[in-house]
Amino acid sequence: MGRWAAYRLLRRLTSFSPPSSVLPYTFQLPSLSFLSSDPTTQFHRFKPFSSPSSSSAALSQDFDYGFRDFSHNYVEDDYETAKITVKAYFLSTSINLRSMQAENAGNVVPPTSRTSNYVTFRFCSLPSDMIGMGVENSVICNRYMVVFQYGSAVLFNVEDHEIDFFLNIARKHASGLLPEMRKDDYIVKEKRTLTEDMQGGADYIILKHLDTDGIRIIGSVLGQSIALDYFVSQVDVMVEEFADINRGMEKTGTFTMRRKKLFQLVGRANSNLADVILKVGLFDRSEIAWREAKYAQINEYLREEYEVTQRFGNLDIKLKFVEHNIHFLQEVLQNRRSDLLEWCIIILLSIENVISVYEIIRDSAAGSV
């Protein structure tokens, strides 16, 4: 177990007082006065505080690295259960993953599938003495960020005061930034003594072991869910616009929408539906879940927990309402245009008849003379 190896190293380091110059500047030991006499609890009070390994050097100026108290990462009265916070954000309508990978190449976790609409980043800052002991591969000793091309970013094991820093990494490569981000929180608990691969709960999931593929699966569902919230809100705005039009027609018997405005609504409705299906990939098969049953179980559980299919069904119903109103208003505008053309034809024919009568009268008067 990597964390017990770290505990043994920590006990060895705290058994003497080395000169401050020996320790790297990113590795600082906290006050150990709060340690209990129980060795099983001493290690659990420490959490390696990680950082970008290559491209994010500025992080070292913003955060204090080293071991920190992470007793809040363990469920009370059960030190065998680690608690990992998950925060999902929808911050823009598009993120350039290629440029983001190039700038943060040292933090990219190599992909295990051919899916190209997201990238996983791992940020870690461990003392050199601990590298190679297995601690660096533990989820609770690292911070992860899964970024999706359609605009979602999901953060794992990131504290509240660090959120802006990591989101700014994504914002640098984003387009169509939203004036107000949408966000959601979730909890993943890792319990090695769990007999099953996973167990669900209210707003959390318990896993026997959380690895990078598990992070990808969880991040994928949460990223899709938070993006779906945004698109549902966009469609709700359109539904409200048509509701106002219908209420106005109920009172006045007519409406004043221009043809250009109607076409804009048509384009917005179609683009929202296309984004949900194509960009977000709401119904795309997960290659990771297809390969291993435990990931498929996690994927199905989270999709049911977040009611992804039902919410898309509600979105589809709203879009059908919008489509029905668009067709109705298009027919009304077409009828208005047809009526206008008919009146133009009537006026032209009337003018032609007047001219013909005038010519007849003129010719008759000229013949009588």
Side-chain angles (χ1 to χ4, degrees), residues 3-232:
R3 59 187 182 186
W4 292 112
Y7 162 68
R8 289 194 296 271
L9 175 62
L10 179 62
R11 293 285 292 172
R12 188 169 69 252
L13 289 172
T14 55
S15 63
F16 61 93
S17 299
S20 59
S21 60
V22 175
L23 294 177
Y25 79 97
T26 59
F27 178 61
Q28 299 175 359
L29 289 175
S31 172
L32 304 181
S33 59
F34 57 83
L35 288 177
S36 67
S37 58
D38 184 3
T40 62
T41 65
Q42 291 183 2
F43 173 73
H44 292 302
R45 286 186 173 273
F46 296 98
K47 176 184 175 184
F49 200 68
S50 51
S51 73
S53 58
S54 63
S55 63
S56 302
L59 186 61
S60 63
Q61 301 174 2
D62 297 335
F63 303 113
D64 176 29
Y65 299 117
F67 286 110
R68 292 194 174 187
D69 179 11
F70 71 110
S71 57
H72 62 279
N73 270 18
Y74 283 81
V75 177
E76 190 175 351
D77 299 327
D78 187 0
Y79 285 109
E80 289 299 318
T81 304
K83 183 176 71 173
I84 299 127
T85 58
V86 186
K87 304 176 189 295
Y89 297 88
F90 189 75
L91 50 96
S92 71
T93 56
S94 179
I95 297 177
N96 190 331
L97 298 182
R98 182 170 298 181
S99 64
M100 191 172 179
Q101 286 184 80
E103 186 173 312
N104 301 273
N107 301 108
V108 175
V109 179
T112 58
S113 67
R114 292 169 293 181
T115 304
S116 59
N117 75 328
Y118 69 87
V119 180
T120 305
F121 298 92
R122 177 172 55 213
F123 300 90
C124 175
S125 178
L126 290 175
S128 58
D129 292 343
M130 296 186 67
I131 301 298
M133 299 179 63
V135 179
E136 66 273 12
N137 294 322
S138 173
V139 172
I140 63 170
C141 295
N142 296 281
R143 289 170 290 182
Y144 289 82
M145 179 168 63
V146 187
V147 182
F148 296 86
Q149 185 272 332
Y150 53 79
S152 289
V154 185
L155 309 178
F156 288 78
N157 203 32
V158 173
E159 298 181 14
D160 290 341
H161 67 277
E162 305 171 313
I163 292 172
D164 285 340
F165 175 83
F166 286 99
L167 291 182
N168 285 336
I169 296 176
R171 285 193 186 103
K172 289 173 60 178
H173 307 274
S175 59
L177 288 171
L178 304 181
E180 184 178 353
M181 284 191 308
R182 293 189 168 268
K183 57 184 179 180
D184 195 9
D185 296 329
Y186 198 65
I187 296 293
V188 178
K189 299 178 182 180
E190 188 182 62
K191 188 173 184 179
R192 299 302 179 98
T193 58
L194 193 67
T195 56
E196 305 168 318
D197 288 326
M198 63 145 288
Q199 180 180 329
D203 295 327
Y204 68 86
I205 186 172
I206 304 176
L207 303 179
K208 188 173 184 179
H209 174 62
L210 177 63
D211 54 13
T212 52
D213 279 341
I215 286 173
R216 291 184 177 101
I217 287 291
I218 295 170
S220 177
V221 177
L222 266 65
Q224 289 176 342
S225 175
I226 200 70
L228 185 57
D229 274 349
Y230 168 76
F231 291 113
V232 168

Side-chain angles (χ1 to χ4, degrees), residues 309-319:
T309 303
Q310 295 91 324
R311 286 159 61 200
F312 177 79
N314 293 335
L315 176 67
D316 190 44
I317 291 173
K318 292 176 181 178
L319 285 173

Side-chain angles (χ1 to χ4, degrees), residues 297-348:
Q297 186 180 5
I298 295 171
N299 186 61
E300 287 300 318
Y301 172 78
L302 288 175
R303 286 178 67 88
E304 290 181 7
E305 177 79 6
Y306 280 91
E307 300 180 340
V308 173
T309 303
Q310 295 91 324
R311 286 159 61 200
F312 177 79
N314 293 335
L315 176 67
D316 190 44
I317 291 173
K318 292 176 181 178
L319 285 173
K320 281 183 169 58
F321 170 78
V322 171
E323 182 183 3
H324 171 75
N325 279 269
I326 287 172
H327 284 314
F328 170 73
L329 295 179
Q330 278 181 327
E331 290 180 0
V332 173
L333 289 176
Q334 186 65 34
N335 289 337
R336 283 183 179 178
R337 190 174 184 182
S338 297
D339 291 343
L340 177 62
L341 291 175
E342 289 177 0
W343 278 106
C344 289
I345 292 172
I346 292 172
I347 291 171
L348 290 174

